Amino acid sequence: MVNLVYTELLKLKRAKMFMVSLIGAAAAPLMVFIGYLDYKAKKPDMPVLFSEAFSQTNLYVLLLIGTLLYGVITAYLFNREYVEDTLKNLLTIPVSKISFIASKLVLLFIWILVLTLVAWGLTFILGWIGQYEGLSAGVLLQSLKQFLIGGSLLFLLSTPTIFVTFLFKNYVPTIIFTAVITMGNVALANREYKALYPWSAVHLIADNGFVPEYPPLYSYAAIIATAIIGLIATIVYFKKADIH
Amino acid sequence: MSAIIKTTHLTKAYGTQKAVDNLHMTVEQGQIYGFLGQNGAGKTTTIRMLLGLIKPTQGQIEIFGENLLTKQKEILRRVGSIVEFSGFYENLTARENLLINAKLMGVHKKNAIEEALEIVGLQNEPAKLVGKYSLGMKQRLGIARAILHHPELLILDEPTNGLDPIGIKEIRKLITTLAEERKITILISSHILSEVEQLADQIGIIHQGKLLEEISFAELRTRNRKFLEFQVSNDNKAAMLLEQRFDIFDYEVHDDGKIRVYSHIGQQGKINKMLVEHDIEVSRIALSEDRLEDYFIKLIGGGTIG
Ligand SMILES: Nc1ncnc2c1ncn2[C@@H]1O[C@H](COP(=O)(O)OP(=O)(O)O)[C@@H](O)[C@H]1O
Ligand SMILES: [Mg+2]
């Protein structure tokens, strides 16, 4: 397994996709920073708090950019073996189909964590440049925890995306799928059902912003059920699929 | 000799179409086995089944005397392969691509990658990314990857497909060397007869999913028959005269006035004289042998190969 993860890392060497994903991860902190500049121009006397900036950035990451960006890198990781026609080599080495999926999942998790830390770190740096107020160790730790919880839960929710990628062996349906998921986030933003929709439930859990109608357990259950169903569908499908 | 590959009743159906139909194939140890058939005959489908990439609809596969279904992992460790075109990670160099395989197969020998690259003649461009490789270089790299772990059996699916004549010759030389020096059993598929003719000890001919024949080249040569070929101005009349005057019935009329006579070898002078006396122009007489290609075309019932 260590060797498999090592080879997965090696496959990313010089890969443009990694650089592109870093730019994608920078989008949310930059958006928040631009919003801050605008706000400062209009109301120069009002303070801007670090905790606010972190929480807004995490909102954008989890509900908008993350679902799309992590969907794209998920599709890239799994689909490239079809596109570059390398899957048959791996499976005749032989690597078992389960370890293949497992090693990709480990890499996806690392990748999402890196992007999460980039978004968090950039928010911190931009806040320092913009002289936001209210910086404390407590704020930093709390926000870092919220970012990491959100990123990890979105990672769990990548399994349906993997299934869609395996099913169609093409980027386009996967990207449409993640776009639809993101639309769902937007549509439910002001409704209590967001606690039940797995992808927006991620933000509720990370931000502790539960709605009175549904207890937190419902949100956890929605996420875990989706992740497990996605994983089972992926494994069952991939195990019996012919490799062409 | 022992069988390295043995399939029984091997069948793969896509819907109602049988891409591979009840195949009984035997590859013996140390052989170069030429697996011959037109495009769409079922070669790649068979090879994918041999490598466990697709599941047979019916039938069994034994490799090294073990059932592929139950011992797939152990068997595949001793096999190297190329299926159709070789895919690589294009953002990596040849070495990095081979390193992936070496890591995953547990090839620990330090210079294994270097050695494999040298055998296929790709040792001189360490910095070039595989994305910039030509098709011929990729096919050679595919062979390097297939032999990296010193397999006992090499399965190559049309390794020369799409290459220029020089590239084809290089690969052919490479395969002969591997068979001789490493004593590897090799299954090589092709739709070009002349390609395997110069390599293989044994051929299996597949057509529309069925294995029509499995035969050694040595035996094939003894079967090839000699014939006299007359190029005549009127083949109908000539054929009638051959039957009436010489009792010749073992003959074939081919295109543009060619008649092949499979008996009476040595009597071409007499036959010629008779034809000329009956106002038939004979512009050419030749003594030849059925070429393998003709045999092949006969076997698959017309059509062309290569
Ligand atoms: N995945 C598939 N689905 C449906 N038909 C297929 C598939 N793969 C191959 N075939 C059909 O099976 C037959 C044999 O194909 P193939 O084994 O690739 O031939 P060859 O390698 O000898 O050129 C062809 O008629 C082809 O169209
Ligand atoms: Mg083929």
Side-chain angles (χ1 to χ4, degrees):
Chain A
M1 196 63 202
V2 175
N3 276 333
L4 259 171
V5 174
Y6 170 82
T7 61
E8 281 299 323
L9 274 172
L10 183 59
K11 289 176 199 173
L12 283 184
K13 197 169 166 183
R14 301 181 203 94
K16 290 192 191 74
M17 190 63 196
F18 187 70
M19 295 314 293
V20 172
S21 74
L22 290 181
I23 295 171
L30 285 174
M31 265 160 57
V32 170
F33 187 65
I34 290 167
Y36 153 81
L37 291 179
D38 186 48
Y39 182 81
K40 268 285 168 195
K42 285 179 188 141
K43 297 181 178 164
D45 306 327
M46 296 292 282
V48 175
L49 295 176
F50 263 100
S51 56
E52 275 293 309
F54 278 123
S55 145
Q56 271 207 29
T57 306
N58 206 21
L59 175 77
Y60 285 130
V61 167
L62 297 182
L63 292 185
L64 289 176
I65 291 169
T67 44
L68 277 172
L69 182 64
Y70 303 162
V72 170
I73 63 176
T74 305
Y76 170 78
L77 274 180
F78 286 87
N79 197 40
R80 75 175 293 197
E81 306 280 355
Y82 288 101
V83 173
E84 302 184 55
D85 207 4
T86 42
L87 190 55
K88 60 193 183 192
N89 168 57
L90 285 179
L91 296 182
T92 50
I93 284 179
V95 170
S96 85
K97 287 180 172 177
I98 298 281
S99 351
F100 171 79
I101 292 177
S103 66
K104 293 264 180 205
L105 281 174
V106 170
L107 197 80
L108 179 63
F109 185 56
I110 295 173
W111 198 343
I112 288 178
L113 282 189
V114 168
L115 297 183
T116 301
L117 290 177
V118 165
W120 182 85
L122 197 60
T123 309
F124 174 70
I125 291 169
L126 290 173
W128 183 71
I129 292 171
Q131 296 178 324
Y132 299 171
E133 288 168 31
L135 184 62
S136 69
V139 167
L140 281 182
L141 277 180
Q142 176 68 10
S143 62
L144 187 58
K145 193 179 109 195
Q146 291 179 344
F147 271 67
L148 291 178
I149 289 175
S152 307
L153 292 178
L154 275 190
F155 160 73
L156 291 182
L157 288 174
S158 66
T159 57
T161 313
I162 299 170
F163 177 65
V164 172
T165 306
F166 277 160
L167 200 58
F168 293 100
K169 302 166 187 67
N170 191 314
Y171 289 110
V172 179
T174 316
I175 288 170
I176 293 173
F177 178 70
T178 55
V180 169
I181 287 174
T182 312
M183 298 264 291
N185 280 341
V186 176
L188 294 176
N190 295 317
R191 318 196 49 172
E192 70 274 16
Y193 300 120
K194 65 184 176 185
L196 302 180
Y197 183 62
W199 286 271
S200 51
V202 167
H203 180 251
L204 294 195
I205 292 172
D207 202 44
N208 217 350
F210 295 105
V211 292
E213 288 87 345
Y214 302 104
L217 186 66
Y218 283 42
S219 300
Y220 286 107
I223 292 172
I224 288 174
T226 309
I228 288 177
I229 290 169
L231 186 63
I232 290 174
T234 299
I235 289 174
V236 168
Y237 177 80
F238 190 55
K239 276 216 100 164
K240 72 177 179 63
D242 281 352
I243 306 298
H244 288 285
Chain B
M1 280 209 279
S2 63
I4 295 291
I5 300 176
K6 191 170 174 60
T7 74
T8 40
H9 300 293
L10 188 62
T11 302
K12 178 73 183 182
Y14 291 111
T16 54
Q17 188 211 0
K18 284 182 177 165
V20 173
D21 191 357
N22 201 26
L23 204 73
H24 294 260
M25 167 193 239
T26 312
V27 178
E28 305 283 349
Q29 181 156 27
Q31 273 181 345
I32 299 185
Y33 184 104
F35 191 33
L36 206 53
Q38 293 168 301
N39 283 324
K43 304 181 295 292
T44 302
T45 306
T46 305
I47 285 174
R48 283 186 199 281
M49 286 192 281
L50 293 178
L51 294 169
L53 289 172
I54 61 179
K55 293 193 179 58
T57 312
Q58 240 180 52
Q60 283 81 45
I61 298 171
E62 275 185 17
I63 299 183
F64 306 124
E66 310 251 32
N67 188 335
L68 183 67
L69 212 59
T70 53
K71 290 275 169 66
Q72 179 161 331
K73 218 170 169 177
E74 291 82 351
I75 289 171
L76 288 181
R77 277 186 206 293
R78 299 160 64 189
V79 179
S81 63
I82 295 183
V83 184
E84 285 187 324
F85 292 101
S86 309
F88 297 97
Y89 304 99
E90 309 229 317
N91 53 317
L92 304 183
T93 64
R95 274 183 184 72
E96 287 161 351
N97 267 288
L98 294 193
L99 181 61
I100 289 177
N101 273 46
K103 281 271 176 205
L104 297 181
M105 283 185 297
V107 175
H108 297 302
K109 232 175 73 188
K110 263 260 177 281
N111 60 345
I113 293 175
E114 223 46 47
E115 194 186 274
L117 286 174
E118 249 167 62
I119 287 177
V120 301
L122 285 175
Q123 71 277 28
N124 290 329
E125 292 199 72
K128 194 168 194 159
L129 301 185
V130 174
K132 299 269 187 300
Y133 270 29
S134 69
L135 185 62
M137 291 167 82
K138 278 188 190 171
Q139 288 298 72
R140 279 190 282 157
L141 184 55
I143 293 182
R145 184 167 66 184
I147 59 172
L148 187 63
H149 57 305
H150 287 249
E152 296 155 57
L153 168 65
L154 204 50
I155 297 180
L156 305 174
D157 186 20
E158 308 222 27
T160 57
N161 213 353
L163 300 190
D164 57 25
I166 296 175
I168 293 177
K169 226 171 144 180
E170 281 177 349
I171 300 253
R172 201 186 289 144
K173 221 174 89 193
L174 192 57
I175 291 169
T176 321
T177 313
L178 286 171
E180 280 168 8
E181 289 180 4
R182 293 199 179 177
K183 308 273 177 268
I184 309 177
T185 306
I186 300 177
L187 170 73
I188 175 171
S189 83
S190 179
H191 66 280
I192 301 170
L193 178 75
S194 59
E195 226 174 82
V196 294
E197 193 176 359
Q198 300 177 38
L199 275 176
D201 310 306
Q202 175 98 357
I203 55 169
I205 295 172
I206 183 171
H207 186 58
Q208 295 177 348
K210 292 193 174 72
L211 197 66
L212 296 183
E213 181 135 47
E214 201 169 65
I215 185 173
S216 76
F217 261 97
E219 189 180 333
L220 200 55
R221 291 210 180 83
T222 67
R223 272 203 210 171
N224 283 349
R225 300 195 302 159
K226 287 199 168 117
F227 59 84
L228 293 168
E229 189 170 76
F230 295 86
Q231 174 87 52
V232 295
S233 57
N234 183 341
D235 49 13
N236 272 333
K237 191 173 165 195
M240 198 187 70
L241 286 165
L242 288 176
E243 292 186 12
Q244 288 175 354
R245 305 281 156 149
F246 283 87
D247 282 336
I248 294 173
F249 295 98
D250 193 3
Y251 69 88
E252 286 172 358
V253 179
H254 284 243
D255 308 342
D256 18 299
K258 284 197 189 89
I259 297 185
R260 289 183 181 180
V261 176
Y262 288 93
S263 57
H264 297 68
I265 308 284
Q267 300 188 30
Q268 51 268 52
K270 270 194 214 163
I271 296 173
N272 181 34
K273 194 168 161 224
M274 181 274 291
L275 291 173
V276 172
E277 277 169 6
H278 286 83
D279 286 333
I280 291 174
E281 252 178 63
V282 179
S283 51
R284 204 176 75 98
I285 304 173
L287 175 64
S288 344
E289 231 177 310
D290 249 348
R291 282 177 312 139
L292 200 54
E293 202 146 327
D294 299 321
Y295 165 80
F296 197 77
I297 289 166
K298 255 189 237 167
L299 204 59
I300 65 178
T304 50
I305 185 106

